[in-house]
């Protein structure tokens, strides 16, 4: 009996509004799927236009070009004899929907609109799309003329429906519907749908991948059935990195899974299943709960002339554990996509010898490791891209250090407040990763700027250590930081020119998520850059990443960097030693910051509710009075400095408590920093402890 089906899902590195490139990647994934014997191919959410189009979804051009790509797919010989499931925006009755389009042999079988929208955190789908609210109902959708000429169809089914083939039944979920407490896969499974698909545009976030895998395993464990998951991958034009991990599951087990971080633009994952395994599993575990109901009020869309099953194919089953997934390479892949798509020739980072800038440098080095590995594995697209980046059509990277020297420039910006220790640590790390390194003394520029101020006002500010006021002390620190930013951009634009090489460099930032939360950086200093690969990562996770680099890349200079206390080195040295540390300046530790950051964003705590939680969490180490002081200090710093987030460099999103003002953490930037009622509630509660 022919009950074995081969199914394909994929991860595609789509780019918003790159219709030609997106078409080529979709077509390649279909070709690969067919070459592996698959009869059904699933792709990512909105793969035709790219998920990250933003307000371009309002434009009729986006809808038009999506239909033009769909027409080319329908006409292509590659799409014959395989059910293709693609994602695109469609307007029905003047309402815009996020849809799946299933077609076979130049016929559109059905259009399934998304029913549950992602509208939290980084997602704003309700801004552009409406959810389909007519459960188990189907309407007629009138095709545009360009498609009617290809398909010979005037109308096609549009709505909440599933597809019946000669030998099984296929139902769709779209991204957030898997995460919903009322996921469609439950009712579909109880109604006998055996293959459930999910097309997603799910971004990378630290510790998120396990949750995604567990949801898919749980869906098929409790309901039985086959589950296909497709996801976008790469940077499609903004702060997010979509981390692939296309996978297939059956009856609670992941049987095939793609890479979470890779430089392949197209990755197809296939598996062969026996439908009898689904039927046997459900016959025992789900039989008492099966309900007799109709998926649709209208006739079921069918392609009864087409079967998915084959006879002479083997079943391959390998179970994967979710804890095998790695979280360390997302920012490196994001940087590579940004570099190759920006048309620039590399990166520049001011390397201070501290944890943050060293983490940025190590992420670039990780990127070089991935690029060299991909070239060695025969990835011609990566080789073509790296040749374009270095402006050498015959170049072939040999090893990461050599490539790093071609695309990465680091500079230590020395001042009279810099220590010999940080200078040496920066130089040693640059030598180990192979970057083009230089030392730039900024004292001449600092004295020049202060000279202008003195000439105009007749006054010369002094550091606090030399008798100056707090305002003078802060201004003298800020001028050093801002001069470093100006010099970073100058050298990014002209350092390759000075070497007789074409192109410019992208400036990378090095402010972590905890410093952004409290504003512990100078507005328009080296945190102001083109992009920031660590802006969404906590200090704790950055240190873990550096330990990973010590173990996996043998970057032993990082041990000294990890052991040193974090410092900005903007105040005078005391007997040649650093007198300023970050945690002293902030008035709290990075560990405390991380806890309060999570409570503020994830647990939705204001000052009072945060205090009430922390007097219990920290009861072993801090008294209620100390907790009150810490919480008040945190909210004062946060509110005073919130305005800095309006100009923060676009950062890789990696942490669920990111304070990114762009769209993830929408709050005012002008606060009443006294928090009078909130702080009185804290004091009243403290008095009862």
């Amino acid at each position: 009996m022919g009950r074995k089906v081969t199914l394909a899902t994929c991860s595609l590195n789509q780019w918003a509004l790159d219709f030609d490139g997106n078409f080529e990647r979709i077509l390649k994934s279909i070709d690969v799927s067919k070459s592996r014997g698959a009869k059904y191919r699933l792709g990512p959410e909105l793969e035709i236009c790219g998920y990250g189009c933003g307000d371009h979804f309002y434009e009729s051009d986006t809808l038009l070009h999506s239909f033009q790509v769909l027409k080319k797919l329908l006409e292509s010989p590659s799409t014959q004899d395989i059910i293709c499931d693609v994602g695109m925006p469609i307007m029905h009755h003047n309402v815009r929907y996020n849809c799946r389009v299933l077609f076979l042999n130049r016929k559109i079988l059905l259009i399934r609109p998304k029913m549950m929208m992602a509208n939290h955190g980084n997602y704003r789908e309700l801004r552009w799309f409406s959810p389909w609210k007519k459960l188990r109902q189907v309407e007629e959708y009138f095709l545009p003329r360009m498609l009617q000429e290809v398909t010979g169809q005037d109308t096609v089914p549009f709505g909440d429906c599933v597809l019946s083939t000669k030998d099984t039944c296929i139902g769709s979920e779209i991204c957030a519907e898997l995460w919903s407490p009322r996921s469609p896969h439950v009712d579909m499974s109880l109604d006998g749908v055996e293959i459930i698909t999910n097309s997603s545009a799910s971004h990378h976030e630290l510790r998120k991948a396990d949750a995604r895998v567990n949801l898919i395993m749980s869906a098929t464990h409790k309901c039985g059935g086959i589950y296909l998951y497709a996801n976008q991958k790469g940077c499609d034009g903004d702060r997010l990195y979509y981390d692939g991990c296309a996978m297939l599951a059956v009856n609670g087990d992941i049987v095939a899974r793609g890479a979470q971080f890779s430089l392949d633009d197209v990755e197809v994952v296939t598996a062969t299943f026996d439908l009898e395994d689904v039927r046997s599993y459900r016959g025992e575990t789900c039989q008492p709960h099966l309900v007799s109901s109709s998926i649709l009020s209208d006739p079921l869309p069918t392609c009864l002339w087409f079967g998915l099953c084959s006879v002479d194919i083997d079943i391959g089953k390998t179970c994967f554990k979710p804890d095998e997934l790695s979280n360390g390479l997302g920012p490196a892949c994001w940087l590579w996509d940004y570099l190759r798509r920006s048309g620039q020739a590399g990166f520049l980072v001011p390397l201070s010898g501290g944890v943050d800038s060293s983490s940025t440098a190590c992420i670039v080095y990780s990127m070089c490791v991935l690029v060299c590995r991909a070239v060695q594995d025969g990835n011609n697209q990566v080789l073509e891209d790296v040749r374009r980046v270095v402006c050498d059509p015959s170049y072939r990277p040999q090893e990461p250090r050599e490539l790093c020297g071609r695309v990465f420039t680091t500079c230590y910006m020395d001042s009279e407040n810099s220590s010999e220790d940080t200078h040496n640590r920066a130089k040693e790390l640059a030598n180990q990763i192979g970057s083009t390194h230089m030392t730039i003394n900024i004292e001449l520029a600092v004295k020049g700027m202060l000279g202008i101020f003195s000439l105009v006002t007749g006054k010369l500010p002094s550091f606090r250590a030399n008798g100056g006021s707090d305002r003078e002390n802060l201004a003298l620190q800020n001028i050093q930081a801002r001069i470093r930013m100006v010099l970073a951009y100058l050298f990014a634009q002209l350092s390759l020119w000075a070497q007789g090489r074409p192109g410019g460099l992208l400036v990378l930032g090095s402010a972590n998520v905890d410093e952004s939360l409290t504003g512990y950086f100078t507005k328009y200093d080296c945190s102001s850059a083109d992009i920031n690969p660590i802006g969404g990562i906590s200090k704790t996770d950055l240190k873990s990443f550096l330990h990973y680099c010590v173990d996996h890349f043998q970057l032993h200079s990082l041990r000294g960097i990890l052991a040193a206390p974090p410092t900005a080195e903007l105040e005078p040295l005391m007997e040649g030693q650093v007198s300023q540390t970050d945690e002293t300046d902030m008035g709290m530790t990075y560990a405390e910051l991380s806890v309060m950051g999570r409570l503020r964003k994830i647990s939705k705590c204001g000052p009072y509710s945060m205090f009430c939680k922390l007097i219990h969490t920290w009861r072993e180490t801090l008294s209620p009075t100390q907790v009150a002081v810490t919480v008040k200090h945190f909210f004062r710093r946060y509110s005073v400095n919130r305005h800095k987030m309006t100009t923060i460099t676009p950062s890789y999103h990696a942490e669920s408590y990111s304070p990114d003002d762009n769209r993830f953490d929408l709050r005012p930037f002008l606060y009443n920093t006294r928090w009078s009622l909130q702080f009185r509630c804290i004091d009243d509660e403290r008095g009862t402890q």
Side-chain angles (χ1 to χ4, degrees), residues 552-582:
H552 288 76
F553 302 143
Q554 286 72 54
L555 301 178
H556 301 299
S557 61
L558 294 173
R559 289 197 176 101
I561 292 168
L562 285 163
T567 175
E569 288 195 331
L570 295 173
E571 295 190 40
L573 303 175
M574 300 292 290
E575 298 180 353
Q577 299 299 313
V578 171
S579 61
Q580 177 189 32
T581 63
D582 293 353

Side-chain angles (χ1 to χ4, degrees), residues 135-165:
L135 300 182
R136 302 191 177 195
Q137 294 184 41
V138 176
E139 298 177 353
E140 285 190 334
Y141 176 76
F142 285 84
L143 293 175
R145 289 181 183 176
M146 72 171 82
L147 296 187
Q148 292 180 18
E149 294 170 359
V150 177
T151 66
Q153 300 166 288
D154 294 327
T155 64
V156 297
F158 184 104
D160 177 19
C161 52
V162 300
L163 178 68
S164 180
T165 69

Side-chain angles (χ1 to χ4, degrees), residues 107-311:
K107 299 290 184 182
I108 294 177
L109 304 174
L110 65 88
I111 300 174
R112 201 283 205 177
K114 192 171 185 177
M115 298 187 294
M116 301 174 188
M117 315 306 291
N119 210 57
H120 63 283
N122 288 295
Y123 295 104
R124 292 289 180 274
E125 290 182 5
L126 286 175
R127 180 178 174 90
W128 310 297
F129 300 109
S130 294
W132 180 257
K133 292 293 189 182
K134 301 176 182 179
L135 300 182
R136 302 191 177 195
Q137 294 184 41
V138 176
E139 298 177 353
E140 285 190 334
Y141 176 76
F142 285 84
L143 293 175
R145 289 181 183 176
M146 72 171 82
L147 296 187
Q148 292 180 18
E149 294 170 359
V150 177
T151 66
Q153 300 166 288
D154 294 327
T155 64
V156 297
F158 184 104
D160 177 19
C161 52
V162 300
L163 178 68
S164 180
T165 69
K166 185 164 61 175
D167 37 31
T168 189
C169 192
I170 305 169
S172 297
E173 288 188 323
I174 305 177
C175 198
E177 293 171 1
L178 170 65
W179 301 74
S180 167
R182 299 187 66 180
S183 294
H185 70 255
V186 176
D187 285 337
M188 286 192 289
S189 297
L190 294 175
D191 278 313
V193 177
E194 295 177 324
I195 300 171
I196 297 171
T197 68
N198 185 300
S199 56
S200 286
S202 181
H203 66 275
H204 173 239
E205 198 171 86
L206 296 174
R207 293 164 286 273
K208 178 182 177 183
D210 285 357
R212 186 191 298 147
V213 172
N214 289 336
L215 280 171
I216 293 172
M217 293 173 65
S218 173
T220 58
H221 179 74
K222 65 187 177 184
C223 298
I226 298 166
Y227 201 101
L228 280 69
Y229 173 83
N231 194 20
Q232 184 159 313
K233 67 189 303 187
C235 167
D236 79 338
D238 64 7
R239 294 159 169 80
L240 305 182
Y241 176 79
Y242 301 94
D243 58 343
C245 277
M247 64 188 87
L248 300 97
V250 62
N251 298 343
D253 291 325
I254 305 295
V255 300
R257 188 185 66 217
Q260 185 177 19
F261 306 115
S262 83
L263 302 187
D264 296 326
D265 282 349
V266 176
E267 183 180 28
V268 177
V269 184
T270 57
T272 299
F273 303 91
D274 190 336
L275 293 177
E276 278 302 304
D277 290 340
V278 175
R279 294 160 188 170
S280 298
Y281 185 92
R282 287 181 173 175
E284 179 180 0
T285 62
C286 301
Q287 185 67 30
H289 309 293
L290 287 174
V291 294
S292 176
S293 65
S294 170
I295 289 286
L296 305 170
S297 58
D298 294 326
L300 190 72
T302 62
C303 54
L304 297 180
W305 68 91
F306 187 78
L308 297 183
C309 290
S310 302
V311 180

Side-chain angles (χ1 to χ4, degrees), residues 456-485:
V456 173
T457 65
K459 292 181 176 294
L460 189 64
S462 298
F463 282 105
R464 183 168 47 213
N466 298 326
S469 65
D470 287 344
R471 179 173 292 188
E472 293 172 74
N473 194 68
L474 185 58
L476 288 172
Q477 293 182 70
N478 288 344
I479 194 62
Q480 296 171 75
R482 288 175 176 141
I483 282 173
R484 285 179 170 134
M485 184 271 289

Side-chain angles (χ1 to χ4, degrees), residues 345-370:
F347 299 113
L348 178 142
V349 68
L351 189 59
S352 69
V355 165
D356 294 335
S357 62
S358 297
S359 297
T360 297
C362 288
I363 288 170
V364 177
Y365 182 75
S366 300
M367 180 199 79
C368 294
V369 171
L370 290 175

Side-chain angles (χ1 to χ4, degrees), residues 316-333:
K317 184 171 181 180
T318 305
C319 295
F320 292 85
K321 297 180 180 179
D323 59 4
E324 293 174 1
L325 296 171
S326 167
N327 282 318
L329 299 176
C333 295

Side-chain angles (χ1 to χ4, degrees), residues 342-485:
S342 69
Q344 298 303 300
F347 299 113
L348 178 142
V349 68
L351 189 59
S352 69
V355 165
D356 294 335
S357 62
S358 297
S359 297
T360 297
C362 288
I363 288 170
V364 177
Y365 182 75
S366 300
M367 180 199 79
C368 294
V369 171
L370 290 175
V371 169
C372 290
R373 188 180 300 159
V375 171
Q376 291 167 6
D377 291 341
N379 190 319
N380 291 326
Q381 181 63 58
V382 173
L383 180 59
E384 178 185 327
D385 289 335
V386 76
R387 285 173 171 171
R388 187 172 61 252
V389 167
V390 301
C391 301
D392 184 348
S394 63
Y395 175 69
R396 188 179 186 88
Q398 300 303 314
E399 52 92 21
R401 288 189 75 258
E402 178 265 335
L403 175 59
C404 204
R406 297 287 291 262
V407 301
F408 190 32
T409 297
T410 54
C411 55
Y412 181 81
M413 295 192 177
D414 197 16
S415 77
E416 63 182 13
N417 301 319
S418 302
S419 68
E420 194 66 27
D421 289 341
T422 54
H423 178 274
N424 291 337
R425 287 197 291 267
K427 184 177 180 180
E428 187 178 355
L429 177 60
N431 180 62
Q432 288 188 1
I433 65 176
S435 64
T436 299
H437 187 67
M438 63 185 83
T439 298
I440 304 169
N441 192 292
I442 68 171
E443 276 307 308
L444 187 63
V446 173
K447 287 182 168 55
M449 294 292 287
L450 292 176
I452 293 172
F453 179 82
S454 179
L455 185 65
V456 173
T457 65
K459 292 181 176 294
L460 189 64
S462 298
F463 282 105
R464 183 168 47 213
N466 298 326
S469 65
D470 287 344
R471 179 173 292 188
E472 293 172 74
N473 194 68
L474 185 58
L476 288 172
Q477 293 182 70
N478 288 344
I479 194 62
Q480 296 171 75
R482 288 175 176 141
I483 282 173
R484 285 179 170 134
M485 184 271 289

